[in-house]
Amino acid sequence: MISRIVKLMGNRFVISVDQGEEHIDAAIEEISRIEALLTTYSDNSVTSKVNAMAGIQAVEVPEEFLQLVTRAQRISELTLGLFDLSYGSIDKRLWNFDKNLSILPSKEAKQNLKLVNYKNIQIDQEKSTVFLKEKGMRIGFGGIGKGYAADKAVAILKQRGVKNGVVNASGDLKTWGRCDGKPWTISIADPDAPQYPFSQLEVGEMAVATSGPYEKYAIINGKRYSHTIDPRSGLPISGLKSVTVICPHAELADAMTTPLSILGVKDGLNLINQMNQIACILVDDHNRVYTSNNIRA
């Protein structure tokens, strides 16, 4: 396998293929294109243009952007808003998880919670527009974007005739083909020692996303606070150390880790067990491991 590590979309991407450096170049070009489309760090991105017109007018957007928002809205409906693109309304203004975070959010910061409501993201399929109803609303793709980018990069590589490989976007990965003639097997990080695996799983051609507070957190007054925020309260979640989702598409796997982290073991498993072609592995704060019904662990 030929591998390359690059930083894109604020994440560490590892692209591995069984042939040709030029194919990796094409995958990087595709991920960079998606980053330019979705980023909130450029005033010229489609996301920034939609956010700038919040509460003012609808914005005509490319078909690709429109359909990604549409799929995200379906996930919001499925999870009763626990996945919500409009979480961008409080992200960074409420909890900005960096090394310097030392105090809890102020009451004023929590006022932005009223702007988080996926039902106020209006889509017009005929006009190809997106409108944020409330002034100050913001959408962001931090919970789905890198999974989508992984899917798109794999599609490009397959189109170019690459038979085997994996695209790993900081824990959100998509495999295709085989690894040394065998089905792909992935390792799941030990949440207490992320550099080591606690389990391995044969996934074949699948997408896998793993998330947990061990990846990104802040310690305030001696207490660890997760980077995953419950949009209903604006408070960090607790109860689970690690959430792993396995399904055919990295986009969906990426998006489902946040709702499952918020729901916890009982409700999270109940949700996944009602869905087709998706499975999960949950590790709680006491290191107990739970799996959905449709997984062979």
Side-chain angles (χ1 to χ4, degrees):
M1 283 283 175
I2 304 167
S3 296
R4 196 184 308 171
I5 300 172
V6 291
K7 186 169 183 180
L8 294 164
M9 304 179 74
N11 292 279
R12 180 178 181 267
F13 278 76
V14 183
I15 303 168
S16 302
V17 297
D18 63 356
Q19 57 180 293
E21 290 277 357
E22 69 276 11
H23 299 307
I24 295 180
D25 291 336
I28 291 172
E29 183 178 342
E30 176 69 354
I31 297 166
S32 299
R33 182 189 68 80
I34 293 165
E35 180 175 20
L37 180 74
L38 302 182
T39 183
T40 57
Y41 292 98
S42 167
D43 292 340
N44 294 322
S45 74
V46 177
T47 306
S48 293
K49 290 175 182 177
V50 170
N51 289 341
M53 290 293 104
I56 301 171
Q57 66 180 41
V59 176
E60 186 173 350
V61 300
E63 179 69 14
E64 176 183 18
F65 187 94
L66 186 79
Q67 295 312 317
L68 179 58
V69 174
T70 300
R71 293 193 300 274
Q73 290 291 83
R74 290 177 187 148
I75 297 171
S76 294
E77 292 170 0
L78 174 69
T79 62
L80 300 179
L82 295 184
F83 174 86
D84 193 330
L85 288 183
S86 67
Y87 173 72
S89 303
I90 57 172
D91 193 18
K92 299 212 171 21
R93 284 184 275 182
L94 184 62
W95 287 85
N96 187 8
F97 276 87
D98 60 27
K99 295 178 181 178
N100 301 316
L101 184 66
S102 59
I103 59 173
L104 298 175
S106 66
K107 292 181 179 178
E108 290 76 14
K110 289 184 181 180
Q111 291 300 311
N112 289 310
L113 275 173
K114 65 188 180 195
L115 296 173
V116 180
N117 187 346
Y118 73 93
K119 294 179 181 178
N120 286 335
I121 302 173
Q122 296 188 337
I123 301 168
D124 189 320
Q125 296 286 347
E126 290 187 5
K127 296 181 179 179
S128 193
T129 62
V130 176
F131 178 51
L132 309 183
K133 284 181 64 177
E134 300 292 332
K135 193 155 189 174
M137 273 186 75
R138 290 168 55 86
I139 57 172
F141 294 86
I144 196 172
K146 66 183 191 293
Y148 175 64
D151 283 334
K152 294 291 286 184
V154 169
I156 287 290
L157 291 166
K158 284 183 173 182
Q159 287 172 13
R160 295 175 65 90
V162 179
K163 302 297 184 185
N164 309 285
V166 57
V167 175
N168 188 337
S170 291
D172 294 355
L173 60 86
K174 179 81 174 281
T175 61
W176 77 101
R178 298 172 78 82
C179 179
D180 297 326
K182 299 177 182 178
W184 284 96
T185 297
I186 59 101
S187 296
I188 300 173
D190 183 336
D192 291 328
Q195 67 273 32
Y196 300 108
F198 85 87
S199 179
Q200 289 188 323
L201 190 69
E202 185 180 294
V203 295
E205 296 196 27
M206 276 285 179
V208 182
T210 297
S211 180
Y214 62 87
E215 295 179 306
K216 197 174 183 184
Y217 60 89
I219 296 177
I220 303 171
N221 298 326
K223 183 176 179 180
R224 179 183 292 208
Y225 289 87
S226 168
H227 74 291
T228 300
I229 306 301
D230 186 334
R232 298 167 299 185
S233 65
L235 298 175
I237 58 97
S238 61
L240 291 177
K241 282 185 176 181
S242 176
V243 172
T244 297
V245 178
I246 306 102
C247 67
H249 303 288
E251 175 188 312
L252 179 60
D254 187 8
M256 288 302 296
T257 58
T258 294
L260 291 179
S261 297
I262 297 169
L263 286 168
V265 172
K266 181 180 178 182
D267 291 338
L269 290 176
N270 183 53
L271 174 61
I272 294 298
N273 287 336
Q274 295 180 66
M275 298 173 65
N276 296 321
Q277 294 188 306
I278 187 168
C280 71
I281 301 171
L282 310 177
V283 182
D284 71 12
D285 285 343
H286 303 287
N287 290 323
R288 291 178 295 226
V289 180
Y290 302 84
T291 63
S292 57
N293 294 339
N294 50 354
I295 194 170
R296 295 184 301 274

